[in-house]
Amino acid sequence: MKNLKIGEKLTRIPLIQGGMGVGISLGRLAGAVAKEGGVGIISTAQIGYREPDFDADPAEANLRAIESEMKKARSISPDGIIGYNVMTALKEHAAHVKAAVRAGADIIISGAGLPTDLPALTEGSNTKIAPIVSTDKSANVILKYWDRKYKRTADLVVIEGPQAGGHLGFKKEELSEYTPETYGEEIQRIIRTVKKYGEKYGVEIPVVVAGGIYDSSDVKRVMDLGADGVQVATRFVTTEECDADIRYKEAYIHASEKDIAIVKSPVGMPGRAIINPLMKRVADGEKIPHSPCHRCLAKCSPADIPYCITDGLINAVKGNIDEGLLFCGAKAWKAQKIDTVREAVQELFA
């Protein structure tokens, strides 16, 4: 694996730390990963949840926190590579992208839908852009769209597989159809598609694989498929530098493999999470009362949802584990202890 070139900067290890909202990957974690030579990623999803005016004006609170969390990350790693994950599904997607550019993002990674307008929103800046894709079809769609509309291509592509945490880019039935072998073939198809666009523009577009990357054997597996690097999220939750409450981290450590399941998010998308009292109540058909709308996801009708994803994720990051939505990757059960980002990086690239 060769190091990733992001603008004028080069990683020391071909690693991107995956963006995790709400509040799981903020400035402290992103800065620590960047300091170790990887790419640190801050998630903008309800990033301002700790701001005093979050309930009254979540949009403004989030924009303020986008800037302050970058300052925090830069204080830890002044010269490291630091960017943002901005979900396409967010109501304030465009505003978040523009705020991330203003804050000095080296790169913006965007998924949870196809980020069709990302080139326009970052035009004229030095910020690099990377779509998240899950299938060769989605890779073709977004790269063809950017090629035709903007006469440009991606600076990097993240392939997020079926073992990832949080919202997934697959229908529920597709998740059971993919095996490691068949998805490995899908990864290679995507790599070929990306290479085709790289050749058209005379550039090398790094392809980074995410989902189920937990240790060095996982890194080697995707390296053998032809990936240029890995994006890792779940592995960094149980580090000292992760921005979540200790009880959230301990939930990973205490979880067994059978505690992790595919759940339905309030907006109908499948996601992977630890089954807890909240998820059991939802599975039983109970409608959970929620706070006034914090305007997070574009396709959400507050009157119809079974529970509020913002409430669930904020409860989780604050350590209210029974009432929280505990998103996680398929291998979260492997967590045994709290360690440091440095130790996690050394383990991944042993």
Side-chain angles (χ1 to χ4, degrees), residues 153-319:
T153 193
D155 297 302
L156 180 141
V157 171
V158 176
I159 303 174
E160 193 169 271
Q163 290 193 317
H167 285 126
L168 302 168
F170 303 90
K171 293 176 180 156
K172 192 171 182 181
E173 56 273 18
E174 288 177 320
L175 291 168
S176 55
E177 288 169 9
Y178 278 118
T179 64
E181 292 72 28
T182 58
Y183 196 70
E185 292 165 7
E186 189 74 16
I187 288 171
Q188 290 178 318
R189 281 191 288 272
I190 297 170
I191 290 171
R192 287 194 292 271
T193 293
V194 173
K195 191 174 182 184
K196 184 176 73 178
Y197 282 93
E199 286 169 353
K200 178 172 181 177
Y201 284 88
V203 295
E204 207 170 310
I205 307 170
V207 178
V208 170
V209 174
I213 314 290
Y214 198 85
D215 56 31
S216 59
S217 65
D218 298 320
V219 174
K220 185 180 185 308
R221 175 174 50 81
V222 298
M223 180 175 75
D224 291 344
L225 291 171
D228 297 299
V230 290
Q231 179 177 284
V232 178
T234 291
R235 179 65 187 83
F236 288 113
V237 169
T238 51
T239 59
E240 291 173 10
E241 296 92 339
C242 174
D243 298 276
D245 186 272
I246 183 64
R247 288 165 291 185
Y248 186 101
K249 302 175 188 184
E250 288 171 345
Y252 276 40
I253 293 168
H254 297 150
S256 66
E257 192 170 2
K258 65 178 177 16
D259 294 327
I260 298 168
I262 301 300
V263 301
K264 194 174 179 181
S265 109
V267 290
M269 297 165 73
R272 181 173 278 107
I274 295 172
I275 298 302
N276 65 344
L278 174 69
M279 285 296 100
K280 287 175 182 172
R281 289 167 65 193
V282 171
D284 289 341
E286 187 178 339
K287 194 169 180 178
I288 312 295
H290 57 79
S291 64
C293 182
H294 288 86
R295 297 180 53 77
C296 60
L297 299 175
K299 294 179 180 176
C300 178
S301 172
D304 302 322
I305 53 174
Y307 66 101
C308 171
I309 196 163
T310 286
D311 287 353
L313 292 172
I314 289 176
N315 278 336
V317 72
K318 287 183 172 179

Side-chain angles (χ1 to χ4, degrees), residues 4 24 33 40 51 57 97 112 143 176 181 206 261 329 342 345:
L4 308 171
I24 309 299
V33 173
E51 295 290 311
D57 192 353
V97 170
L143 294 176
S176 55
E181 292 72 28
R342 175 166 288 182
V345 167

Side-chain angles (χ1 to χ4, degrees), residues 51-86:
E51 295 290 311
D53 59 343
F54 178 70
D55 289 336
D57 192 353
E60 188 58 38
N62 286 332
L63 293 178
R64 196 183 314 120
I66 286 171
E67 184 179 354
S68 64
E69 290 299 330
M70 174 59 85
K71 285 180 179 173
K72 191 187 298 179
R74 283 273 176 242
S75 70
I76 297 167
S77 180
D79 303 315
I81 303 174
I82 301 164
Y84 293 86
N85 180 294
V86 184

